Amino acid sequence: MKFFKTLLASILGVIIGLLFFVFVGIIIVSSSSEEPEPYVRNNSVLKISIAGNIPSRSQENPFDRMFNRAVGDHVSLASLKENLRKARSDDNIKGVWMEISSVSAAWSTLQEVHKLVAQFKKDSDKFVYASTDDIGYNEKGYYLATAADSVFSPPSS
């Protein structure tokens, strides 16, 4: 009978020990996966690069990041909305610079982005500038640029 008590106590001790290590491991992994809050210097400008399609939500695919580095650079509608909300409330950010290049998003998405930028200007009293590269604005890019206070473009475009 003493043998079974010892066996049961040993099994119970091993199970409790394993659960403890799994619990500690989950805590360590979850705390290390959070991105730290970025430090924003005084008089900073939020730069938003808008090119190509603007999806509603960004899709996190780790293989895309390994094989195609440009995938992480795309702005989604949700991330744009969140970043403009953060910039509105951060006193260190003085304005927004939209770098627009060959936009191919749907018109309904562009209207939403235009509305978000206009709402940002209205609510925060911060400036919004739009610029482009040597290629210049296409029709959709120019529509987005009209939401800005100032539009900058090379003379050749």
Side-chain angles (χ1 to χ4, degrees):
M1 190 70 167
K2 188 174 182 180
F3 172 75
F4 289 116
K5 283 184 183 179
T6 306
L7 180 65
L8 186 60
S10 298
I11 291 173
L12 190 61
V14 168
I15 290 173
I16 290 174
L18 286 175
L19 288 176
F20 175 75
F21 283 121
V22 167
F23 181 70
V24 169
I26 290 172
I27 290 174
I28 290 172
V29 168
S30 67
S31 67
S32 66
S33 66
E34 293 179 12
E35 291 184 22
E37 210 42 49
Y39 173 73
V40 179
R41 292 184 182 164
N42 196 16
N43 293 328
S44 294
V45 175
L46 174 63
K47 179 183 175 189
I48 301 172
S49 297
I50 301 175
N53 192 19
I54 304 171
S56 297
R57 298 183 192 277
S58 61
Q59 298 176 355
E60 295 295 325
N61 187 350
F63 293 113
D64 286 343
R65 289 190 178 207
M66 281 192 276
F67 299 118
N68 188 5
R69 294 183 184 204
V71 168
D73 296 340
H74 288 295
V75 173
S76 69
L77 200 55
S79 66
L80 180 68
K81 187 175 186 176
E82 181 67 19
N83 287 331
L84 288 176
R85 184 191 61 78
K86 288 178 183 177
R88 183 183 308 125
S89 62
D90 194 342
D91 293 333
N92 291 332
I93 296 179
K94 300 301 177 192
V96 173
W97 170 26
M98 295 189 307
E99 190 175 52
I100 302 170
S101 175
S102 61
V103 178
S104 63
W107 283 104
S108 58
T109 304
L110 295 176
Q111 287 176 336
E112 184 67 26
V113 172
H114 193 278
K115 186 170 68 172
L116 287 171
V117 173
Q119 190 68 36
F120 169 81
K121 284 183 357 183
K122 179 183 169 192
D123 293 343
S124 67
D125 293 329
K126 296 181 181 184
F127 67 85
V128 177
Y129 294 155
S131 69
T132 187
D133 53 9
D134 290 337
I135 297 171
Y137 296 109
N138 59 2
E139 185 178 5
K140 293 179 177 184
Y142 190 70
Y143 174 71
L144 283 182
T146 60
D149 295 321
S150 298
V151 179
F152 301 98
S153 175
S156 60
S157 66

